[in-house]
Amino acid sequence: MRRLMQRFQPSIEARITDALGKLLAAIEASEVTIMAAASALRWHGENLHKAGGVEAMRSALDTVCTANPDWADERRATITAAWAALSEMKP
């Protein structure tokens, strides 16, 4: 049963990407400020890097930007700014 459950669970990268998308949606809906979300955005970047390296970070960035084309430029700028402190990990 445990093996069956593991097979259907999304990867850690997919779960982090989902959380990143939800956080960006909250920013876009003015439910949270970018300033308040900055540490969470950095944390998601760090965890993506640990899980799959720079490629996982790039993939997550592309996924959340294409998920909402109307906000793609803003999303890319927000994430890039938040991840700037992670200089050696930048996508």
Side-chain angles (χ1 to χ4, degrees):
M1 181 68 161
R2 181 176 237 207
R3 186 173 289 165
L4 181 63
M5 287 176 59
Q6 287 176 337
R7 192 167 69 187
F8 293 109
Q9 288 183 348
S11 69
I12 187 69
E13 292 94 337
R15 291 187 301 225
I16 295 169
T17 301
D18 183 57
L20 186 60
K22 289 176 181 175
L23 181 58
L24 290 166
I27 292 169
E28 294 156 5
S30 298
E31 295 171 2
V32 65
T33 65
I34 293 173
M35 194 72 114
S39 64
L41 289 167
R42 277 192 304 277
W43 183 76
H44 287 316
E46 290 169 357
N47 285 326
L48 280 165
H49 190 267
K50 288 176 191 173
V54 173
E55 187 55 41
M57 294 173 74
R58 282 191 189 111
S59 177
L61 178 60
D62 291 341
T63 298
V64 297
C65 288
T66 58
N68 190 341
D70 293 338
W71 286 86
D73 292 338
E74 291 85 352
R75 285 180 169 208
R76 188 168 300 278
T78 298
I79 292 171
T80 300
W83 291 356
L86 311 173
S87 58
E88 71 279 358
M89 301 179 199
K90 269 196 261 183

